[in-house]
Structures are given as C-alpha cells and as structure tokens.
Amino acid sequence: MPLDVAPVIRSYETQRTLNPPGIPALAPPPEGETEDIRRIAGRFGEDIPAAGLHHGNQVVYAQPGQLKALATFLRDDPQLQYETLIDVTSVDRSELPLDGEARFQTIYQFRSYSRNQHLTVVTDCRSGTEGNGTSPHVDSLTSVYRGAEWPEREVFDLMGIRFDGHPDPRRILMPKNWPNHPLQKQAPLGGEEVPFTFTWDDPEFDTLGTQILAAESVAPDLPPGMSRQNMVINMGPHHPSTHGVLRLVVELDGERVVSIDPDLGFLHSGFEKTGENKRYKDFVYYTDRMDYLSSMSNNLGYCLTVEQMLGLEIPERAQVIRVIMAEMQRIASHLFWLATHVLDVSGTGMSLLMYATRERERILDLFEMACGARLTVSYIRIGGVWQDLPDAFVAELKDFLRLMPQKISEYEAMVTEAPLWQERLKGVGHVSAEDALAMGLTGPMLRGSGVDWDLRRDRPYSGYEEYTFEVPTRDSGDCYGRFTLRLEEMRQSVRILEQAVDNLPSGLYRSNNRKVALPPRAELDVSMEALIHHFKLMTEGFHVEPGFFYHGIESSKGELGFFIYSDGSAKPYRLHVHGPSFNNLYAIDHISRGEMLSDVVTNIGSIDIVLGEVDR
Amino acid sequence: MGIEEKVPEGILTTSLDSVVNWGRANSTWPLLFGLACCAMEMIATGTARHDIARYGSELFRASPRQADLMIVSGRVSNKMAPVIKRIYDQMLAPKWVIAMGICASAGGPFNNYAIIQGVDKIIPVDVYVPGCPPRPESLLYAMDMLRAKQRRETIGAGRKVEEPLAVDEIMPLGV
Ligand code: SF4
C-alpha cells in the first residue's frame, strides 16, 4: 500500500500577510568580540566569514570545509577546552531572502564546562546533486564528538541533510519508508482538515483517515554492527520497563549484552514543525506535552528563550514564582523516577510507587491550586506567569515542605541500604567523566560521573543566583551514584523552595509590557487601550527581531535547550528543542555493554527518560 | 466470542449472562500500556488516591493475552499505529478499548504529519474520554461507562444491544 500522508497545506496556518514588509529577514551578522572569538579567528583567519556576539551568545560562522578542523580545535586547544557538543540542529532558509546564499545551515552548540563558556557555530551546507534533486551535505562531527551521532541522525531524518563520514546514517525518528523530510519548508504540516459538517457526502471527509500508514508489520532489518551469531531480541515498544514506547534491539551473548540499538520515534509528534506554524505565545501549551513529567520546566525553558530574544524584563515576583514551580516540578519528576525505577528493578516494589505518588499528588494539588491543571499546566507564560498565586498556596506549600525531607528519608530507609538494592545498582551502568562529556550527557547523568556542573548555579537564570544550594555530584558514575544523587537533589530543591517561599516579594506576576504580555482581565472592563492590546496579542501575537538564539535550563533530566530562529514575524521560523532525555538515552548502548539483560532495565530507569521528549 | 456463541438462547443463558457480566465488569484487567502524557494520569489512577482497585482493575497486565481492556493513553503516531493494531489483535475476546484523552480520540492538538487523528481509525473504541489529559476521575467515570456497557452484553450470539447508554445506567461504584 503506498504511503499517503495527506499533504494538506492549510492556508490559515501559513499566511504571513499580517507581516509588515521587510519580513521575512535573515539573521543579522554577529557583532563584537570575545577572547575565544579572537583566538579562533587568529587560528582560522579567512575561513571564519563572521564571528561575534548575537543576543549575548558567542557565534562563529565557519566554512563547511573547515568545520571539522574547527571542532577539533575547539576541543583540543588548551585555551578553549570546549569538551562537549550539546546540540546539533539545522535550518532550511528557503523562505528567507537568500541572495544566492546556501539554503541549509547546520547549527552547533558547544560548551566548555571547565571554563563556563558557550559557543554557537553556524555552517552552510554544501548542496550536492546525488539522488533526485539536490541533497545537501556537511561533514560529520562524530569522529570529534561522539555524542553528535544521534543529533546528526535526527537532522538527517527531519531535514534531509547528509553527514559525510557518519558511521550510521539511518533515519532515527520517522519510519524508514517515510516519503519526505518533514522539517523542510516545502513539506506540508500534514494532518487532516477538521470537518465542520455532519454530512458524510461532503468532500471534507474525503481525506479523513488517509493519514494512516499501511498497518502491517514487516520484519525489521538487523541494525548495522549486529551479528546473527548472537541472539538478537526485541524489547519494546510495548514493554513494561521501557518507560513508554521505546524499542530496544538487544544483541545478547548468553545473557550478556553485546550491543543495543534503540529504535526511537514511536511517539514522534512533530513538535518542531507544529511550533513553526504557531505564534510564539501559542507554543507554550505544546511544551507541556514534551517532557510531560516536567511541564513547568519546559514552559520555563521556552519562555526564557523567547523573552531573551525580546529583551524582556520579568518582574521579581514572577521570577520567584517560576523558581518555586520549577523546583516543585523537579521534586515531582524525581519522585516519579524513584517510583518507577524501584518498580522496574525489583519488579514488585509497589509500595514505594504508592508512597512516592502520594507526595507527588500533593505537588499536583499545588499546581492545581495555582493554575487548575495537574499535568499540562501552561502556567509559566511569556512575560511572567498566567495568574497570581492564590492566597492559600503559600501555607499549603510550607506544609508540604515541612513534610518532604522526612519523606525522602523514609524512601531512603526503604531502599538505600538494602543489600539487594545495592547489589542491583552498584557498579551497574558505569560511565566515566570523559565518556559522559564526549557523549554530551547532561543533568544527573553528568553529575553522577563527577562533573560539577549545574546550569542553575553556573549560568543562572530566573534569579537562581540568589539562592544558596549545593550541587551534589558523585564520582562513582554508576546507577547507585545517580540514585543517591537524585535523592540529594530533591533535598536541595526543598532547600531552594524554603528560601523562595520565605522571600516571595509582592508586585506584578506578569510583565506590564502590553506589547508582549496580556493585560489583566480586570483592566479589559475599564480600559479601551487594554482591550486593543488584548485583541492585538490574541490575533496577531508579537514579533521577534530577526536572529537566532539558544538557551538551556537545568530541567530535572538535564539540559533542556530551545533554539529559535526568527525571521521577524510572529511565528518562529525554526524551532528546535534539545531534549535531555534524547542525548542521555544515547548512552544506553555504551553503559549496558557487557552487562546482563536485566541490567538494561536498571539502566533505562537510571537514565530517566521520558519518551515524549526523546521523540518530540 | 468463542464458545459462548455455541450456547443456545434460553433462560439458562439469560441468568448466566448476568453472572458472567458481573464477573467481567468487576475484574476488567487493563493492559499495561502507556503512550504519552495521558499515561501519567492513568498511572495516577492506579495509585492510592484514586485507587482503580475498587473496580477490580488494579492488575495492569503487561501481556496482551492476559488483558481485557486497552486504555489508549496518548497520541498515536504513524510509527506506533501498526504496533497498536497488532497488540489489539493479540488480546483475547471479549476485549474493550478506552480512548483516553483528546489525542487518542481525535488527534488533539497534534493535527500534523506525525499523529493519527484518533485511534478509532485503526481499532474499535468503546469509550472516549475527553480531556488533555483527562483527570483520573474522568478515567474512573469512563470505567463506570464501560461497566454499564459490559452489563448489557450477552454471551449468546447476535444479541448485543447497540443503543446509547442512558445516564442512569452508568451506576457509580458500589450500586
Ligand atoms: S490528550 Fe493531551 S495529555 Fe493526553 S496524550 Fe494528548 S496531548 Fe498528552
């Protein structure tokens, strides 16, 4: 059966007629200089067409021929020491006024943990002539940074850019027979017309149901590198301990794991493409549904990115409320991790699931108090938060905070010292600091290997610099280390919460910049101007200056980054989400090799993935 | 439905119906199967506060062969659709499906290339639960509706009543 993706282009989704002339526009060249940029320019000279600061980030444009040399230089130069490649993404600029420039660009985010520096590298893709039409390509960085493997596969899958020298250039998210690369601009958003009629003869129903792929199972190919000499088993996508719809192809020698090939994309929902068709303010609701265990952190990460592109000041009260929400969310997410991890490893540890969800329910109650929703909150909005905290919130939160440390000790008493638990976790899933850096792991996966890095402390946002807390690290690099680390993180979150709730300032809970944030409801009744602002924001939204920006926050699972390329209009031209689960999951093959099959379950739990964020 | 279809109609089967239905309605085992955000609320329904055990449904079975109820808790992607279809086919009759959340019911916020606009395009659905995600209470109400539906079923052949449920048929738990 041929694949029919119902390529409906809905005009109301894509119209840009509201835009003033001059939009769309390309990102402006970066300006200014820093020490690192001088050093890079000194080494590469003419091969760096432009370099400087853009929205406060260091940006270097590189010739495609020099990309690999530049990456090697960034990693190895003693004065630069960019140990990690955080993220790889790409942009298809075909709808921008290009003037003969390359259509595709790839964008890399490098991070130096030792020097606390962040660097963005942009490179044009060479256009090739292979296949039908032109298929752009660029050098792969996998030989320099191992962690580039999956992000590059994702770029290939969604954008159609080939990476020369990539060891495993397969699709990663979409089915292997998918007809297009969905993020290319000429690829339609797809979906189905919403029928506004009940007459079945109406042509609106013609396309209904055509989106379904032929629902037949085909025997999958053996992933490259696996041998039929060993037993190859399939774990998932329907499996109780893969935390969702993850499929692992596991090659086993006896009961020992030889290699693992994760098959992703069973929950691919097209967030990025959808985001490019929504106004900035409307994407907040989607961020909830990515890492659905940390909705608040997702809201926060996205809003911060847009706000910094706008140069928006956030009122102090809103900042503190945001910190409260983000930390409560971290505790909730860690509680859920604890519950499922223990359940997975023991197979029967239902009691801890019940206890941990009991506390989690209390956090969800607090969320519900603040915004009415338990899970998909959309509480943090661009410019502040949706509405002010209700009066009873603070007392209730204080009560919870009194309770929580004691509860954490209770969980610890149940498992931490238990010999069976230690047996199952100690020494399992080991990852060294060098490997963690090379693979681009973040969050507890990184700190569990002894790298002392936390974005909240080292690149503070939302006023985190005002709180005293410790960043726990563990040198063991195994599942047990990560287990105790996360418990300690919960304690630290409680500490931050205590400080925040004691110093909750009064004042605005949302910016009073009416060009960006909605006026309070009460104002609409008395002020014509407020009504106009409201109407304008609701119908057209706000415009963001042309340019691009990457910003990462420390979510419960690691660095959650948003990359936005704006063409000056009211919708993001390109929106990319760097999900920590995606990069951390890449480690599963590395840490499980040579271990038992049952340890794979432990490792999945210890990485703490959420498939909504892996697949996006 | 297997052997039941061979049973002739009569007084015996009518009384048998109520016994069998009572059993089915009070021990519907769901499949341990989560897709997306809605699955978190499904798990919350299974834990202490909402306590789905009152319905005899706390036993989430990982194997489709042991499950009676599939709760499609989340968005169904094009890649996942064949898998869901296969899992459904592997479940033994009688079997029921709850489409939990707007994604499983109609695609929800994801009207795009990746997501199927409702799981009913590939498998039959008994109860749709609105919400994004539905609260645990909504899922419990869906269980009530399903039980009302189950109580109407008969074990004989061709006697399934296909009229909409009346409100007073959906009895809250314990009635
Ligand atoms: S209905 Fe809403 S909560 Fe449920 S899977 Fe869809 S997006 Fe997530």
Side-chain angles (χ1 to χ4, degrees):
Chain A
M1 186 174 144
L3 212 62
D4 187 355
V5 212
V8 188
I9 300 180
R10 284 161 294 174
S11 51
Y12 59 86
E13 291 276 8
T14 50
Q15 63 159 327
R16 286 170 189 272
T17 45
L18 291 170
N19 292 336
I23 295 176
L26 284 174
E31 289 164 358
E33 263 198 327
T34 62
E35 209 176 296
D36 288 9
I37 288 176
R38 270 195 294 277
R39 175 130 190 109
I40 296 165
R43 162 75 173 73
F44 287 92
E46 290 296 292
D47 290 323
I48 301 290
L53 290 166
H54 183 51
H55 282 306
N57 270 355
Q58 307 184 82
V59 180
V60 170
Y61 285 78
Q63 299 283 11
Q66 291 296 325
L67 179 66
K68 220 159 151 179
L70 175 66
T72 317
F73 182 66
L74 287 177
R75 187 192 59 181
D76 295 339
D77 187 75
Q79 288 185 35
L80 293 174
Q81 295 180 27
Y82 284 89
E83 302 104 351
T84 296
L85 176 59
I86 296 277
D87 183 50
V88 183
T89 184
S90 55
V91 54
D92 169 7
R93 303 190 295 169
S94 57
E95 285 178 0
L96 300 178
L98 270 182
D99 225 4
E101 289 169 52
R103 173 177 166 193
F104 292 96
Q105 282 184 329
T106 44
I107 296 128
Y108 303 83
Q109 312 291 343
F110 292 93
R111 170 76 48 77
S112 167
Y113 289 123
S114 46
R115 295 176 51 248
N116 194 356
Q117 293 289 341
H118 188 92
L119 181 81
T120 306
V121 172
V122 184
T123 186
D124 291 345
C125 296
R126 308 186 188 96
S127 56
T129 44
E130 204 183 285
N132 40 2
T134 55
S135 138
H137 60 114
V138 72
D139 288 342
S140 165
L141 291 188
T142 40
S143 55
V144 190
Y145 294 95
R146 204 177 146 190
E149 185 177 339
W150 276 17
E152 287 186 349
R153 271 178 74 184
E154 186 195 311
V155 171
F156 164 69
D157 189 359
L158 300 182
M159 195 61 103
I161 297 172
R162 282 183 300 113
F163 287 87
D164 302 328
H166 193 286
D168 185 12
R170 286 177 296 157
R171 280 186 182 267
I172 189 167
L173 295 176
M174 304 304 294
K176 66 179 182 198
N177 54 348
W178 195 255
N180 61 16
H181 297 285
L183 284 182
Q184 291 188 353
K185 284 290 170 185
Q186 84 278 8
L189 175 63
E192 292 173 1
E193 285 287 0
V194 181
F196 289 107
T197 163
F198 288 106
T199 322
W200 285 101
D201 305 330
D202 208 292
E204 280 188 9
F205 284 96
D206 284 353
T207 56
L208 212 63
T210 49
Q211 205 186 6
I212 303 168
L213 208 108
E216 59 180 40
S217 296
V218 281
D221 304 334
L222 203 65
M226 286 199 183
S227 148
R228 283 197 197 279
Q229 299 296 314
N230 291 323
M231 182 162 69
V232 177
I233 64 155
N234 179 52
M235 206 171 152
H238 165 63
H239 188 280
S241 61
T242 51
H243 289 220
V245 284
L246 168 68
R247 174 170 171 250
L248 298 176
V249 183
V250 190
E251 183 187 6
L252 289 175
D253 180 11
E255 213 183 318
R256 296 222 166 261
V257 176
V258 180
S259 66
I260 297 184
D261 179 62
D263 184 5
L264 313 176
F266 288 98
L267 194 53
H268 178 65
S269 323
F271 277 99
E272 298 183 359
K273 187 89 177 172
T274 307
E276 288 161 23
N277 290 283
K278 298 273 172 238
R279 287 176 215 98
Y280 282 96
K281 70 173 177 53
D282 294 339
F283 191 68
V284 177
Y285 318 114
Y286 283 86
T287 57
D288 288 332
R289 288 148 178 88
M290 270 179 309
D291 176 358
Y292 31 77
L293 285 175
S294 356
S295 314
M296 288 285 186
S297 314
N298 295 358
N299 291 172
L300 180 60
Y302 173 72
C303 290
L304 282 173
T305 312
V306 178
E307 281 157 7
Q308 293 191 34
M309 292 185 85
L310 291 164
L312 193 67
E313 284 286 322
I314 306 302
E316 214 172 314
R317 182 174 171 85
Q319 300 266 36
V320 179
I321 296 180
R322 284 174 170 196
V323 169
I324 291 177
M325 292 302 169
E327 292 309 315
M328 283 194 343
Q329 187 74 77
R330 189 181 318 274
I331 297 177
S333 169
H334 280 5
L335 281 173
F336 210 81
W337 154 81
L338 178 72
T340 48
H341 192 32
V342 174
L343 187 62
D344 284 349
V345 173
S346 70
T348 51
M350 268 306 218
S351 39
L352 200 50
L353 174 80
M354 295 297 168
Y355 293 149
T357 45
R358 177 187 62 196
E359 268 70 73
R360 181 172 173 266
E361 286 286 335
R362 290 209 58 183
I363 297 182
L364 299 189
D365 283 349
L366 283 162
F367 285 170
E368 205 180 330
M369 250 172 137
C371 66
R374 285 158 51 87
L375 204 65
T376 46
V377 286
S378 303
Y379 178 59
I380 297 174
R381 304 279 173 91
I382 291 165
V385 296
W386 173 51
Q387 62 175 19
D388 207 355
L389 294 176
D391 295 337
F393 184 90
V394 170
E396 189 69 24
L397 177 59
K398 279 188 175 157
D399 189 47
F400 171 74
L401 292 177
R402 232 183 346 265
L403 186 88
M404 197 58 209
Q406 174 198 339
K407 295 290 177 193
I408 300 174
S409 309
E410 249 172 52
Y411 311 143
E412 280 220 88
M414 285 176 77
V415 279
T416 311
E417 296 300 327
L420 269 176
W421 179 248
Q422 298 200 351
E423 189 81 359
R424 286 295 307 272
L425 262 72
K426 276 197 172 159
V428 171
H430 181 266
V431 54
S432 68
E434 296 82 64
D435 286 334
L437 291 171
M439 289 192 287
L441 309 185
T442 51
M445 286 296 282
L446 189 65
R447 291 190 285 275
S449 299
V451 181
D452 189 10
W453 175 267
D454 189 315
L455 283 164
R456 289 175 294 168
R457 182 196 62 195
D458 298 313
R459 298 179 81 78
Y461 52 88
S462 287
Y464 266 110
E465 61 273 20
E466 281 160 30
Y467 303 92
T468 27
F469 60 99
E470 276 149 38
V471 176
T473 58
R474 297 286 183 272
D475 292 328
S476 60
D478 60 359
C479 290
Y480 191 74
R482 291 190 284 272
F483 164 74
T484 52
L485 178 105
R486 286 200 178 94
L487 286 179
E488 185 56 33
E489 281 193 358
M490 284 202 258
R491 292 212 174 87
Q492 295 299 331
S493 291
V494 171
R495 222 173 125 189
I496 298 176
L497 279 170
E498 279 165 352
Q499 296 167 41
V501 78
D502 286 338
N503 301 317
L504 187 64
S506 53
L508 291 172
Y509 59 90
R510 190 163 60 203
S511 161
N512 56 4
N513 181 341
R514 297 278 184 265
K515 297 270 179 273
V516 177
L518 288 178
R521 176 65 186 82
E523 242 177 66
L524 297 188
D525 299 337
V526 289
S527 155
M528 186 65 201
E529 208 177 330
L531 207 58
I532 294 172
H533 284 308
H534 188 278
F535 180 75
K536 198 80 171 127
L537 274 175
M538 280 307 191
T539 51
E540 187 183 337
F542 50 84
H543 293 238
V544 174
E545 286 291 299
F548 54 83
F549 186 59
Y550 171 89
H551 185 258
I553 66 157
E554 192 74 38
S555 108
S556 50
K557 299 178 179 63
E559 174 163 349
L560 170 72
F562 284 87
F563 172 84
I564 294 177
Y565 192 111
S566 165
D567 61 351
S569 68
K571 292 171 185 168
Y573 181 74
R574 171 86 175 90
L575 186 129
H576 170 70
V577 188
H578 165 78
S581 300
F582 180 72
N583 285 50
N584 288 351
L585 183 60
Y586 174 65
I588 186 81
D589 178 39
H590 176 83
I591 64 179
S592 303
R593 286 191 182 207
E595 295 182 349
M596 302 296 224
L597 178 61
S598 54
D599 294 335
V600 175
V601 173
T602 317
N603 289 338
I604 297 173
S606 179
I607 294 175
D608 190 15
I609 51 167
V610 161
L611 263 296
E613 185 180 71
V614 175
D615 295 343
R616 281 156 300 163
Chain B
M1 283 190 197
I3 192 159
E4 302 126 10
E5 280 158 26
K6 310 276 184 294
V7 182
E9 281 183 48
I11 299 164
L12 177 67
T13 50
T14 326
S15 6
L16 207 57
D17 268 352
S18 54
V19 177
V20 169
N21 287 346
W22 175 82
R24 284 175 180 168
N26 285 297
S27 65
T28 312
W29 289 359
L31 187 67
L32 178 54
F33 170 67
L35 282 174
C37 348
C38 282
M40 301 301 117
E41 288 298 60
M42 183 176 79
I43 296 171
T45 317
T47 54
R49 183 191 283 186
H50 303 285
D51 193 16
I52 205 172
R54 293 174 289 161
Y55 293 76
S57 302
E58 75 280 21
L59 210 52
F60 283 83
R61 301 311 297 174
S63 164
R65 321 244 179 228
Q66 300 167 350
D68 313 306
L69 166 66
M70 182 189 236
I71 303 179
V72 185
S73 53
R75 40 194 188 262
V76 181
S77 72
N78 277 299
K79 197 167 175 177
M80 193 65 196
V83 183
I84 292 184
K85 175 93 167 59
R86 168 167 283 215
I87 295 173
Y88 178 78
D89 290 345
Q90 284 172 338
M91 287 167 61
L92 303 182
K95 52 189 168 185
W96 297 275
V97 176
I98 291 181
M100 182 181 181
I102 180 63
C103 285
S105 306
F110 298 95
N111 193 356
N112 61 24
Y113 64 92
I115 297 295
I116 287 181
Q117 303 299 300
V119 71
D120 51 5
K121 306 261 164 72
I122 46 174
I123 55 174
V125 173
D126 291 283
V127 183
Y128 297 87
V129 195
C132 182
R135 300 177 57 91
E137 292 87 338
S138 311
L139 186 59
L140 293 178
Y141 185 67
M143 295 294 294
D144 278 330
M145 289 182 84
L146 186 70
R147 281 149 52 94
K149 213 169 163 175
Q150 283 168 330
R151 274 193 293 266
R152 277 183 170 193
E153 277 174 19
T154 98
I155 55 172
R159 281 183 293 151
K160 210 163 167 172
V161 193
E162 285 294 3
E163 268 155 32
L165 292 174
V167 176
D168 55 1
E169 250 180 292
I170 308 163
M171 288 181 285
L173 202 70
V175 179

